[in-house]
Amino acid sequence: MFIATKRLYGASIQGPDGDVGTVKDLLFDDQSWKVRYLDVDTGRWLPDRRVILSPMVVHSANYASRRIAVGLTRQQVEHSPSLDADMPVSRQKEMDLARYYAWGAYWADLQGARESAETEGDPNLRSARAVSGYHILANNGDIGHIEDLILDDEGQENKPWEIRYLVVDTRNWLPGRQVLISPAWAESIDWATRRVEVGISREMVESSPVYDPNAPVNREYEEVLYDYYGRPKYWTGTAHPV
């Protein structure tokens, strides 16, 4: 199912024995755009404590009622490895969490990947909230800015959550219009200057399928979108990896 990330913020996370907290942010890998963690606000229950959870612990999600069920008890969360509240998540901390929760194959590559980042913040781990507002540049000018992200919570096995689309607001150029662009179409991303360059012209965007935030993104819409831009479809297995 596709869900806008802004609809996830503030959603209640429920364990088998009670409330764990609410979704504060999503942390994703900027190479694959796979979501690695839910950043959880535990409120008064665990004050001044940062908790991040793998999407693999999610058993079910009811977005209408804004409730996410996880298979972790409050005690498990309380005794998990500590994280500094305002510091980047280091590789060492990720490995500690993977061992504690036995998160499995998706996190197995942490043992050897980017070892130099073990004690420093993982340079490829990004905040979904922070990406909001990034400027999108076509090959012949500015398009707009990222208003939201569209999450696919039924991705590949062992890699269950993935950011499929950037919601681009073109209000300064085409008032009242939003369009979707896949992050796989980005030719370059400058994280320091908050700019994303895509190999699409302004004219193509102007006539592209409109995104309606009140209508669900489904495969029919995706077929039209990918055919319009002439891009390989990820669901057919022919799309190039990010």
Side-chain angles (χ1 to χ4, degrees), residues 35 53 61 92 102 104 129 181 186 204 227 242:
V35 174
L53 299 177
Q92 184 60 56
R129 277 189 180 274
I181 292 177
M204 286 198 74
D227 285 344
V242 178

Side-chain angles (χ1 to χ4, degrees), residues 5 18-19 63 115 120 159 200:
T5 56
D19 181 71
Y63 298 123
E115 293 180 356
E120 300 176 357
K159 298 183 179 181
I200 299 170

Side-chain angles (χ1 to χ4, degrees), residues 42-120:
T42 56
R44 296 181 180 178
W45 173 49
L46 292 176
D48 302 321
R49 173 77 179 276
R50 187 180 190 186
V51 171
I52 59 174
L53 299 177
S54 159
M56 293 181 68
V57 305
V58 174
H59 284 183
S60 63
N62 187 322
Y63 298 123
S65 63
R66 294 168 57 78
R67 292 170 63 89
I68 298 174
V70 300
L72 297 175
T73 66
R74 286 163 61 95
Q75 184 179 42
Q76 283 179 295
V77 174
E78 184 176 7
H79 294 289
S80 65
S82 63
L83 293 168
D84 295 324
D86 299 317
M87 295 294 289
V89 181
S90 72
R91 278 286 176 175
Q92 184 60 56
K93 288 297 185 181
E94 289 189 271
M95 288 161 56
D96 291 344
L97 289 166
R99 282 191 290 264
Y100 176 78
Y101 286 118
W103 277 338
Y106 184 22
W107 278 262
D109 65 344
L110 293 174
Q111 298 293 336
R114 297 187 287 271
E115 293 180 356
S116 62
E118 282 190 359
T119 57
E120 300 176 357

Side-chain angles (χ1 to χ4, degrees), residues 164-183:
R164 288 291 183 196
Y165 299 105
L166 313 175
V167 179
V168 182
D169 192 320
T170 65
R171 72 181 67 173
N172 294 330
W173 171 47
L174 297 173
R177 183 180 176 88
Q178 291 186 345
V179 298
L180 296 188
I181 292 177
S182 168

Side-chain angles (χ1 to χ4, degrees), residues 8-52:
L8 280 176
Y9 302 148
S12 172
I13 299 178
Q14 297 289 320
D17 58 349
D19 181 71
V20 174
T22 58
V23 178
K24 180 172 62 176
D25 200 354
L26 298 176
L27 305 180
F28 67 92
D29 187 304
D30 67 14
Q31 300 298 302
S32 65
W33 291 81
K34 301 289 194 300
V35 174
R36 290 228 297 264
Y37 304 107
L38 290 79
D39 203 341
V40 180
D41 182 355
T42 56
R44 296 181 180 178
W45 173 49
L46 292 176
D48 302 321
R49 173 77 179 276
R50 187 180 190 186
V51 171
I52 59 174

